[in-house]
Amino acid sequence: MLIADRGGPYRALVVDDDGVLRAAMQQFISQLGFEVQTTDNGQRALERFQAQGADIVLLDAAMPVLDGFAACEAIRALPAGHHVPIIMITSYEDEESVDRAFRSGATEYVTKPIHWAVLRNRVRQLVEAAEAARRLRQDRAFFQSLVDAIPDPTLVCDRDGVVRWLNRDAARHPLIAEAALDAPLRLAPGVTEPDSGESDPSAILARIRARAAAADTPLELLLHRVDPLAGEFYAEAHARALRGVDGANFGLILRLQDVTARELEDQRLRRQVTRFGELAHRDSLTGLANRRRFEDLLHEAVDTAGGTGERLAVIFLDLDGFKAVNDTRGHAAGDQVLCQVAARLQLVVRRPDTVSRLGGDEFAVLLRDVPGYSAVLDLGGRLLAAICAPIELAEGPAALGASIGVSLFPDHGPDGATLLRCADEAMYAVKSRGKRGVAMAPLPAGR
């Protein structure tokens, strides 16, 4: 037996209208280990193949009803006939007949009278090649079924980045650009890698391939894309090199796990934490920094200025006449007054400076990099003027004033607490003298 046993005999279909030659071929092919069926014309051969199939077909060219060329073409058109070896056996030796045979789908061409040793080797080679191709198709189908069984979009690429396998989800994934078999893998336009800041899809893919090829462990990274129509997507990319027994890199398998919901929820939580953090440092009514935030910023500014020689100033401001507005027009009107005062103070100071509501109707301002006393007192005067301008309320305008105290670093003290206390005392000195004014805190003894 020249054909390796596969757990059962191979089947051959012998077709020839010459009964003597048909019988001789049946005997010869049987001795090679085949189970042989025979028929005498192309039409019956087609019907027999449709009903029972065959692992190889030996087909005479010149036959009644349906000649070998037409029968060969018809068998090839059947689903089971795509890959079956077909040997055309004929007395025609002209070039046109040979070309016609191969155009009809013949795998091999053997002329009569038959050289049996040649036929034996042709049959063996063709069946073994067909069997190897069948096993390769089975292996590919098996591997494809494995890829399809992976719940996440998955692609397998060779070392040149060409897609060799992919499952359905990968073919339409928003992070992949038109994935298709035997086409280069490309990430969709707009794909970014948030962790690295990379925004070039081709550079991201090149890095994935290079890092996967250099590592023996899976590579994981986060990818992001905003699709103009479908919305925002996040995927965790898991890439791993495919290696042979000698460790050579054959390509990579890339799996994309959808983590959009996780990432969007994480962003929401981070925003919420940020908002809560801001609320912890913001006055809920005016939006200004609260006392805690002001004291933290003042402490940081003093630490920095101590090393740079920068001069700072603290302005402590208490509204005059606010209690009367609150008592006669209600708390809602008082809240409107506080919000308008906060807005006016912010318009007067510079962008690097900080305005804070310490509580009630008390405000404070931290001034950085001040040139000297006169500049600070001038700013205090402008703050007072801004507050004294009529404040429009639903019930009519309200008139307020302010008592303002000022201290400077390092003139009035070495730390924030001392500066704030000195400015507070200067503010009370203004109130004791009749309110509506600006006063600089007295310098400590010895200065």
Side-chain angles (χ1 to χ4, degrees):
M1 182 183 296
L2 296 179
I3 304 299
D5 185 14
R6 61 169 182 179
Y10 284 89
R11 296 166 301 153
L13 176 60
V14 173
V15 188
D16 200 302
D17 61 338
D18 185 331
V20 174
L21 185 57
R22 188 169 66 249
M25 282 200 297
Q26 178 181 15
Q27 182 179 7
F28 179 78
I29 299 300
S30 296
Q31 291 174 351
L32 298 180
F34 285 86
E35 180 183 283
V36 183
Q37 298 182 68
T38 64
T39 188
D40 60 355
N41 68 62
Q43 183 60 43
R44 290 198 182 99
L46 178 60
E47 294 168 357
R48 188 72 59 86
F49 187 87
Q50 284 180 298
Q52 301 178 13
D55 296 302
I56 189 168
V57 177
L58 295 93
L59 190 64
D60 186 22
M63 291 186 297
V65 184
L66 190 68
D67 67 23
F69 302 108
C72 179
E73 190 170 351
I75 291 173
R76 274 284 179 252
L78 298 174
H82 289 172
H83 304 289
V84 64
I86 299 177
I87 301 178
M88 188 77 76
I89 300 177
T90 177
S91 57
Y92 301 140
E93 295 187 48
D94 60 286
E95 185 173 318
E96 181 181 350
S97 296
V98 173
D99 289 342
R100 185 183 176 192
F102 285 110
R103 284 198 306 271
S104 300
T107 315
E108 188 55 272
Y109 192 92
V110 173
T111 58
K112 297 178 182 178
I114 297 173
H115 193 304
W116 297 103
V118 171
L119 181 61
R120 179 177 66 246
N121 283 279
R122 292 286 190 271
V123 168
R124 182 189 64 190
Q125 292 170 356
L126 290 176
V127 172
E128 289 180 350
E131 178 64 12
R134 184 186 66 83
R135 289 176 179 171
L136 180 59
R137 291 193 300 274
Q138 286 183 335
D139 289 344
R140 290 183 63 89
F142 175 75
F143 194 84
Q144 184 65 55
S145 68
L146 289 179
V147 175
D148 288 337
I150 299 173
D152 297 317
T154 302
L155 307 97
V156 178
C157 303
D158 62 21
R159 70 185 69 190
D160 297 319
V162 176
V163 177
R164 297 306 181 191
W165 282 277
L166 75 163
N167 58 17
R168 293 186 205 88
D169 290 338
R172 55 177 180 268
H173 196 275
L175 299 185
I176 303 298
E178 301 176 359
L181 288 176
D182 301 323
L185 172 61
R186 293 184 297 113
L187 296 180
V191 170
T192 64
E193 185 186 350
D195 293 339
S196 69
E198 179 61 66
S199 58
D200 181 358
S202 60
I204 294 171
L205 183 58
R207 197 160 71 91
I208 290 174
R209 291 176 56 197
R211 288 177 60 187
D216 292 323
T217 55
L219 168 67
E220 297 181 1
L221 70 161
L222 185 67
L223 300 179
H224 174 241
R225 180 177 182 238
V226 178
D227 186 282
L229 299 178
E232 192 168 15
F233 291 91
Y234 283 91
E236 207 165 64
H238 303 261
R240 184 161 195 162
L242 299 176
R243 302 191 184 281
V245 293
D246 59 353
N249 176 35
F250 289 158
L252 65 83
I253 180 167
L254 177 66
R255 178 170 62 89
L256 299 173
Q257 182 182 3
D258 187 355
V259 293
T260 302
R262 183 195 76 187
E263 289 298 314
L264 294 180
E265 176 65 11
D266 187 51
Q267 290 176 22
R268 186 189 69 80
L269 291 175
R270 285 199 298 269
R271 288 194 299 269
Q272 193 172 56
V273 168
T274 300
R275 184 169 63 87
F276 287 158
E278 290 177 350
L279 290 175
H281 294 91
R282 293 282 174 186
D283 175 57
S284 59
L285 176 63
T286 63
L288 298 177
N290 60 16
R291 176 181 285 271
R292 177 182 175 183
R293 181 60 174 163
F294 183 81
E295 290 176 348
D296 288 344
L297 291 173
L298 177 56
H299 176 74
E300 293 171 5
V302 168
D303 281 351
T304 301
T308 62
E310 177 187 6
R311 298 187 75 185
L312 308 173
V314 172
I315 297 177
F316 199 107
L317 185 153
D318 186 89
L319 298 182
D320 299 329
F322 175 75
K323 185 176 184 302
V325 174
N326 217 29
D327 290 345
T328 60
R329 301 196 186 187
H331 292 293
D335 288 348
Q336 291 181 44
V337 168
L338 293 174
C339 289
Q340 289 197 43
V341 168
R344 292 181 182 188
L345 296 178
Q346 287 182 296
L347 288 174
V348 174
V349 303
R350 302 167 303 176
R351 185 179 295 273
D353 300 328
T354 301
V355 180
S356 167
R357 182 188 175 207
L358 301 182
D361 60 349
E362 292 182 339
F363 294 82
V365 181
L366 170 60
L367 305 175
R368 293 171 172 82
D369 194 21
V370 297
Y373 285 69
S374 60
V376 179
L377 290 174
D378 177 66
L379 177 63
R382 288 189 281 123
L383 292 172
L384 178 60
I387 294 170
C388 291
I391 296 177
E392 296 297 330
L393 300 173
E395 301 83 353
L400 279 81
S403 299
I404 300 174
V406 180
S407 65
L408 275 74
F409 172 85
D411 310 60
H412 291 97
D415 55 70
T418 302
L419 295 174
L420 196 56
R421 177 177 54 80
C422 290
D424 186 23
E425 292 173 353
M427 180 273 294
Y428 274 107
V430 173
K431 279 193 179 292
S432 67
R433 294 196 297 265
K435 305 180 180 180
R436 288 206 181 196
V438 181
M440 180 71 67
L443 290 172
R447 292 204 178 192

